[in-house]
Amino acid sequence: MRGPGGWWRRKSTPQKVETYTRWSFYFFAVMEFFSVGFTSVAPLGARLGGAVMLVVAVHATIAFVTVSRAVDWTRGRRPQPIGLMWTLAAVTAAVSVAALAIAERGPAGESVDTAAGGVFGVILVFGPGIIALGVRDRRRAFGIAAGFAAGTWVVTIALGAPALTALFTALIVLIGGTFIAFVAVFSVWLLNAVYELDEARETRARLAVAEERLRFGRDLHDVMGRNLAVIALKSELAVQLAQRGRPEAAAQMVEVQRLAHESQREVREVVRGYREADLASELAGAQGVLTAAGIDCTVSGRAPAGLPAGVQSALGWVVREAATNVLRHGDARWCAVRLGVLEGRVVLSVENDGVEAGDGEGASGSSGSGLAGLRERLAQIDGTLEAGPAGKGLFRLTAEIPLPSESAPSEPIAAVPAVSEVMP
């Protein structure tokens, strides 16, 4: 059963930042309505207050939709919401002028002036800031706040307010609008930066895989290149000798056959080197790949001396599969690999914080053919494999293989060699 926070934990880090950014600005629109729209009814009366509340609700709704479209435009999912931005600007200006008119020419009373001033201030601070979400140029974003401040000064003077009061009011609008615009600009920059960093991490992981493929290709080329060239030359020579009826053609074909068998053997050795996982190399490789993908990976422990090759290969496969699953699934920030001996059994544990709460699968997903294949491999040498949640937000994969009595060490295992010791 999925937990109440599972939808949040299943999101990647960029998606979490985007959701946080959206709802931060959605909250501005909601707070606008409840802070000044809803509270205007009592001081302004049922009719005038109800009208003000309705107008503020319309402004908040337009602001809410503008935030959604502007964030989508920032991520390249929608066109720039120019029409919505102009609509929000027009409604912001109209509501602000109406609030000033109520304060200057409306019913007398300190509560009326306070309510109208609150509507005026909140609308003119939140409006330009939300519009700034849909502007790419920072100078234009701040220019929007400055434009509303200048308009405030002109309208305040036109309604008969003293020049000093008009200037003070415009300054408040400028400071508040500029601050919200700065928050919008910074939020958009941070959101784009997080997505770019996530894409860079994925690119590094793909480059690590591509580098391994290139290394495999180079090894095959080194093995097969020369032999294939010699086979081609000797085959051509054998054809020419056979056409002339020379008995040496058979000898050349025997040599071609020998080279072909030799090439097959060498290719098998190359492939076997990749199929038979070396434990030390796999530990170093997993640490390197995960670190390149932006995951903090630590490796502790080393295999005991005299560990059979079959056991090392099986544990190497466990490390390889676990590291692959950490990269493919979940949103892990760290991974810890521990190797030790406990009661005559070598124990390999891979733990990470990429588990998705409530679904029983994490960065090392407990279902799938990968872990099923590992269990079959370990079962051949009487080993076991356990995988599943290991606490809040954690996932642990543990492999245990019994050791021959002569291989069991009498003291704790030392630290694993440095990566440079096992990687070329």
Side-chain angles (χ1 to χ4, degrees):
M1 186 175 180
R2 298 183 185 276
W7 70 275
W8 174 260
R9 295 187 181 92
R10 286 190 297 273
K11 289 179 178 290
S12 64
T13 298
Q15 290 172 338
K16 290 178 180 178
V17 174
E18 180 178 345
T19 302
Y20 176 80
T21 302
R22 284 180 183 275
W23 282 98
S24 296
F25 284 92
Y26 288 160
F27 179 73
F28 286 161
V30 175
M31 185 173 62
E32 172 186 301
F33 173 75
F34 283 101
S35 63
V36 296
F38 187 74
T39 58
S40 298
V41 177
L44 297 179
R47 177 178 296 181
L48 183 58
V52 170
M53 182 178 69
L54 179 61
V55 171
V56 172
V58 171
H59 183 272
T61 301
I62 298 174
F64 198 96
V65 177
T66 302
V67 169
S68 177
R69 299 294 178 86
V71 174
D72 285 343
W73 167 72
T74 298
R75 296 306 313 145
R77 304 187 190 109
R78 291 178 182 266
Q80 187 177 15
I82 297 177
L84 268 175
M85 293 162 58
W86 277 109
T87 302
L88 181 60
V91 175
T92 300
V95 175
S96 302
V97 171
L100 277 179
I102 292 173
E104 295 293 333
R105 307 289 175 85
E110 184 177 350
S111 60
V112 174
D113 293 342
T114 301
V119 172
F120 172 81
V122 171
I123 293 295
L124 271 185
V125 168
F126 288 166
I130 291 176
I131 295 172
L133 276 176
V135 178
R136 200 177 299 277
D137 190 349
R138 285 174 290 183
R139 289 176 296 182
R140 290 184 179 180
F142 296 132
I144 292 171
F148 274 97
T152 298
W153 182 81
V154 172
V155 173
T156 306
I157 290 292
L159 290 175
L164 186 60
T165 301
L167 181 61
F168 181 73
T169 304
L171 184 61
I172 292 177
V173 172
L174 177 63
I175 294 174
T178 301
F179 175 75
I180 300 298
F182 170 78
V183 172
V185 170
F186 178 78
S187 298
V188 169
W189 173 83
L190 179 63
L191 177 61
N192 290 331
V194 170
Y195 268 103
E196 290 173 1
L197 287 174
D198 188 67
E199 292 172 0
R201 186 180 70 173
E202 292 180 359
T203 300
R204 287 198 300 267
R206 288 195 297 268
L207 287 176
V209 174
E211 183 178 357
E212 182 66 15
R213 289 175 178 173
L214 287 175
R215 184 166 73 92
F216 184 75
R218 287 194 301 268
D219 290 349
L220 280 180
H221 178 271
D222 293 342
V223 168
M224 296 297 296
R226 174 183 172 277
N227 287 353
L228 288 176
V230 175
I231 288 173
L233 289 174
K234 287 188 171 292
S235 299
E236 183 179 354
L237 177 59
V239 169
Q240 294 177 359
L241 291 174
Q243 289 174 345
R244 298 174 186 176
R246 301 284 296 275
E248 292 89 345
Q252 293 297 328
M253 291 307 300
V254 170
E255 182 65 14
V256 167
Q257 185 181 29
R258 186 191 67 79
L259 288 172
H261 288 310
E262 180 70 15
S263 299
Q264 286 181 330
R265 183 187 62 79
E266 292 179 350
V267 169
R268 290 194 199 99
E269 291 179 356
V270 172
V271 174
R272 188 180 299 114
Y274 286 87
R275 288 182 176 175
E276 294 182 358
D278 177 71
L279 179 57
S281 298
E282 291 299 331
L283 287 171
Q287 186 176 29
V289 171
L290 293 177
T291 301
I295 300 173
D296 183 16
C297 180
T298 58
V299 179
S300 59
R302 71 164 62 188
L307 190 66
V311 176
Q312 288 203 43
S313 179
L315 292 176
W317 272 103
V318 173
V319 174
R320 182 182 297 183
E321 180 69 19
T324 300
N325 287 334
V326 170
L327 289 173
R328 288 179 178 174
H329 309 292
D331 188 27
R333 295 183 298 273
W334 61 265
C335 178
V337 182
R338 302 180 184 89
L339 181 64
V341 173
L342 179 64
E343 298 179 354
R345 301 174 69 87
V346 60
V347 180
L348 174 67
S349 172
V350 182
E351 185 175 283
N352 65 83
D353 64 342
V355 69
E356 297 177 358
D359 60 6
E361 297 181 11
S364 296
S366 59
S367 64
S369 59
L371 296 185
L374 287 180
R375 288 189 175 93
E376 294 175 359
R377 185 184 295 269
L378 293 177
Q380 296 175 359
I381 51 177
D382 298 326
T384 60
L385 181 72
E386 295 181 359
K392 186 176 181 180
L394 299 180
F395 189 92
R396 181 181 299 137
L397 183 148
T398 304
E400 296 186 11
I401 301 176
L403 283 173
S405 57
E406 62 272 12
S407 298
S410 57
E411 57 186 36
I413 296 175
V416 76
V419 173
S420 59
E421 297 180 27
V422 293
M423 293 186 68

